[in-house]
Structures are given as C-alpha cells and as structure tokens.
Amino acid sequence: MNNKVRVKKATKNLSPKVMEQVFSRVAEYFSVLSEPSRLRIMYAVCSGEKSVSEVVELCGSSQANVSRHLNVLHKVGILLRRKEGTTVFYSIADNATVEMCQTVCAKIAESLH
C-alpha cells in the first residue's frame, strides 16, 4: 500500500475535532524540523549511528548546542538514543521523516543550480 493511500485511510473517518488535534500535532512536528541545526544533525546521523562527539564534529557547533537539539529530536521520536558507558549514540528512529527531509532538500538543491 503506498503512503498516499495509507494516509487517507488513517484520517478518512476521523471527526473534525480529532483532525484538529492531528493538525496541531503535525504543526508541532514541523516546528521541530524548522530549525536548520536539527536538519544538519539529521543529515549527519542519517548515514549511521553517531556519538555525540561525532555529531558535534560533523555539524561544527558547540557540544551544548548539539546536545540540546539531539534531545529535542529524540523527544519527538525522530532519533533513537543509546548509551554505552559514558558515550551516548544517536541513530534514526523515523525513516519517514528522513525520507521527507531528503526529498525536500533535493528539491531545494535542484532549484539552486
């Protein structure tokens, strides 16, 4: 079943009141993705699990800033977190979000040429 059909089936029989809740949650989700630093982090992690220090190095931002954004992405379910000793690793939890971001980034990159 393709995504379009799945989405229509998932929302087809919902009441207007429930759909308002859905729209509100979707807006909150997109607000998480509206921060360029978080997109940079997702880009760094989408090639495989990374430690916080690896993400810091790849993103060129401070550890405090990267940690704050990693926590937000984990909290909304986009990233998974795993601890090994004192090292924390992050990986993609939600491939659908990564695919959506990659599609939008490719479209924008195309328009820049």
Side-chain angles (χ1 to χ4, degrees), residues 24-94:
S24 178
R25 296 282 305 273
V26 169
E28 288 173 23
Y29 195 79
F30 280 127
S31 74
V32 168
L33 299 176
S34 70
E35 168 59 52
S37 295
R38 293 183 191 135
L39 295 173
R40 205 173 293 114
I41 288 168
M42 286 176 58
Y43 181 75
V45 176
C46 75
S47 62
E49 182 181 72
K50 302 278 186 301
S51 68
V52 174
S53 60
E54 290 173 309
V55 176
V56 167
E57 186 177 320
L58 289 166
C59 293
S61 193
S62 71
Q63 170 128 11
N65 192 38
V66 167
S67 292
R68 182 172 57 85
H69 290 301
L70 284 166
N71 190 46
V72 170
L73 291 166
H74 174 259
K75 190 175 180 180
V76 298
I78 294 172
L79 296 181
L80 294 172
R81 178 171 39 206
R82 168 179 84 78
K83 193 170 184 179
E84 191 173 292
T86 59
T87 305
V88 179
F89 294 89
Y90 285 88
S91 60
I92 297 298
D94 180 6

